[in-house]
Amino acid sequence: DAGVIQSPRHEVTEMGQEVTLRCKPISGHNSLFWYRQTMMRGLELLIYFNNNVPIDDSGMPEDRFSAKMPNASFSTLKIQPSEPRDSAVYFCASSPDSSRASPLHFGNGTRLTVT
Amino acid sequence: QQQVKQSPQSLIVQKGGISIINCAYENTAFDYFPWYQQFPGKGPALLIAIRPDVSEKKEGRFTISFNKSAKQFSLHIMDSQPGDSATYFCAASYSGTYKYIFGTGTRLKVLA
């Protein structure tokens, strides 16, 4: 079990640039989550996919944020254009069962710095 | 009503001591209470979880105590070790939903 794989681990970019974060969930998991972690706001759910379909994107802060899941083994979170306040650690997590509360398996995150 | 209140914010314990972290919730629909452990540069990892049909669950040195009437649950780390130094998050969820409500985290430091 390779766990949830995220890339890149670190991303430093300038304000206005496009940023794409990538995630490979655990094979067989049908739920995928994108979270953002900051000191001020803790862990925030950005978007939730079930069986590759976006179910809840109410946590996506602005239209600058978009997420896709073209297949069961890959998801992206894109920020365009990026702003300094987007600096945070972004986590992808997957879960085997959406019908009942089950453990989230987190990746090691992408630390984004926007200058 | 969706909040999970976690305390303390930080905790320093001597090696061999007991670390206790507390969480309180309001929503009685919650039926799954996991604890996550996060080391610097890593994602949160599930440590131990409990459902409200039991009052206590123990896994090695880690114990969850659950008080349904008080709507509180706590994590006890017995014989705390320097390797336990991490940030701990409590969370709550309920069946039929994908949403987890996370506590604000407790930064634990165990002194050697």
Side-chain angles (χ1 to χ4, degrees):
Chain A
D1 182 357
V4 175
I5 300 173
Q6 291 187 247
S7 64
R9 288 299 315 276
H10 303 274
E11 178 77 46
V12 180
T13 190
E14 292 184 347
M15 182 174 63
Q17 296 299 305
E18 177 180 296
V19 175
T20 299
L21 311 182
R22 296 172 176 80
C23 174
K24 177 179 169 57
I26 293 173
S27 177
H29 284 193
N30 63 0
S31 295
L32 184 136
F33 307 77
W34 282 98
Y35 281 87
R36 178 170 66 178
Q37 186 176 42
T38 60
M39 289 294 293
M40 292 295 295
R41 300 174 69 91
L43 276 163
E44 300 176 275
L45 176 64
L46 300 177
I47 188 168
Y48 161 65
F49 290 88
N50 183 246
N51 292 322
N52 314 336
V53 176
I55 304 299
D56 182 357
D57 65 356
S58 60
M60 298 285 262
E62 298 171 33
D63 291 345
R64 299 184 296 107
F65 285 68
S66 63
K68 294 182 179 180
M69 191 165 186
N71 57 62
S73 59
F74 185 65
S75 178
T76 59
L77 177 67
K78 185 177 294 186
I79 308 172
Q80 165 64 19
S82 57
E83 297 183 3
R85 60 192 167 123
D86 301 332
S87 297
V89 181
Y90 290 81
F91 288 104
C92 175
S94 68
S95 180
D97 187 350
S98 60
S99 62
R100 64 195 297 266
S102 55
L104 296 176
H105 299 258
F106 286 85
N108 284 329
T110 295
R111 181 175 293 276
L112 174 64
T113 303
V114 183
T115 61
Chain B
Q1 198 179 30
Q2 285 290 83
Q3 277 190 324
V4 174
K5 296 181 179 179
Q6 183 172 348
S7 63
Q9 189 174 3
S10 63
L11 182 62
I12 299 176
V13 174
Q14 293 287 339
K15 179 181 175 182
I18 302 173
S19 304
I20 301 174
I21 305 170
N22 301 299
C23 284
Y25 63 97
E26 290 293 327
N27 190 343
T28 56
F30 289 143
D31 64 358
Y32 181 67
F33 302 90
W35 284 89
Y36 285 83
Q37 179 188 54
Q38 185 178 25
F39 293 105
K42 300 290 188 181
L46 179 67
L47 185 63
I48 186 172
I50 197 168
R51 296 188 190 272
D53 52 344
V54 296
S55 61
E56 185 175 282
K57 183 173 182 180
K58 184 175 181 179
E59 290 185 3
R61 296 185 293 109
F62 300 91
T63 300
I64 299 179
S65 296
F66 185 81
N67 186 329
K68 190 173 182 178
S69 61
K71 292 184 284 187
Q72 295 176 346
F73 58 110
S74 59
L75 176 70
H76 296 236
I77 306 174
M78 312 300 287
D79 186 25
S80 299
Q81 299 297 312
D84 297 330
S85 297
T87 300
Y88 293 82
F89 294 92
C90 64
S93 185
Y94 52 91
S95 297
T97 184
Y98 52 88
K99 290 193 174 183
Y100 284 74
I101 310 300
F102 285 90
T104 50
T106 297
R107 185 170 292 184
L108 171 66
K109 185 174 178 64
V110 181
L111 302 177

